[in-house]
Amino acid sequence: MKIENRTTYKLKLNLEEFVRKTFAALPSNHTLGITRVVFVDRIQDRNVPADKRDKLPLLYHPKTPVSGAWFEIALAPLLEHKGWWQRMVARRTLRANLTHTLLALMGQHYHLNFSHGRKKTEYEPAIRDYIRKGLEALREHDTSFRMRLMRPLIPHLDRFARWLAKQQRKALQAKAKQAK
């Protein structure tokens, strides 16, 4: 797989190493057929309407008879914001946003090519589930000091998140019941 960096942004993040680490946490058969990952400032594809190009952070190019599938990731929608505070936050969250972007593209590639029997209306929830599972795989694959400290707490935090979601569902049901 070829990783191309065509951006003009000066980043401290090594994009090639970042993509390889992200793909290493996923099953190797999910990446079959991907020929390249290209990082650009803005997406310039003519098939995308001009008003959407500036805001589009990712684009999946499916496999054709001439070339294999490839990903295009635009950094401008992820980094350019008005105000110094928003620009600083965008720089700090770039790694997380790129991880989500790569996993979304991988989920789209996987479900379009290897997961048969899905309707077009079922793709979005399936891709969201793929991203969630990919993030869990990355979390298990991470061996940093911070992750080693957090690993014993993760089951408790997950249980707390499920409890909060349950409380939110109950509150929404009670609100809907009162509205009737």
Side-chain angles (χ1 to χ4, degrees), residues 21-39:
K21 279 185 179 179
T22 304
F23 284 171
L26 301 173
S28 60
N29 63 340
H30 290 199
T31 60
L32 290 176
I34 300 171
T35 57
R36 61 188 169 143
V37 177
V38 180
F39 290 95

Side-chain angles (χ1 to χ4, degrees), residues 138-156:
L138 278 169
R139 186 172 71 186
E140 293 300 318
H141 200 260
D142 189 8
T143 58
S144 66
F145 178 71
R146 185 173 69 182
M147 215 35 224
R148 285 186 300 216
L149 284 176
M150 288 297 294
R151 196 159 278 136
L153 298 175
I154 288 175
H156 302 291

Side-chain angles (χ1 to χ4, degrees), residues 95-126:
R95 185 181 299 264
N97 290 336
L98 281 177
T99 302
H100 276 271
T101 303
L102 278 171
L103 289 174
L105 287 167
M106 276 303 302
Q108 189 173 359
H109 173 72
Y110 174 74
H111 287 294
L112 285 175
N113 293 311
F114 303 115
S115 173
H116 302 292
R118 290 200 188 272
K119 297 177 185 173
K120 287 186 178 182
T121 57
E122 296 175 351
Y123 279 135
E124 188 173 344

Side-chain angles (χ1 to χ4, degrees), residues 79-87:
L79 290 174
E80 289 182 359
H81 296 284
K82 294 180 181 175
W84 68 272
W85 179 256
Q86 289 179 341
R87 282 194 303 271

Side-chain angles (χ1 to χ4, degrees), residues 169-180:
R169 277 194 308 274
K170 283 182 182 178
L172 288 175
Q173 287 173 353
K175 191 175 183 180
K177 201 179 247 188
Q178 286 179 351
K180 289 182 181 180

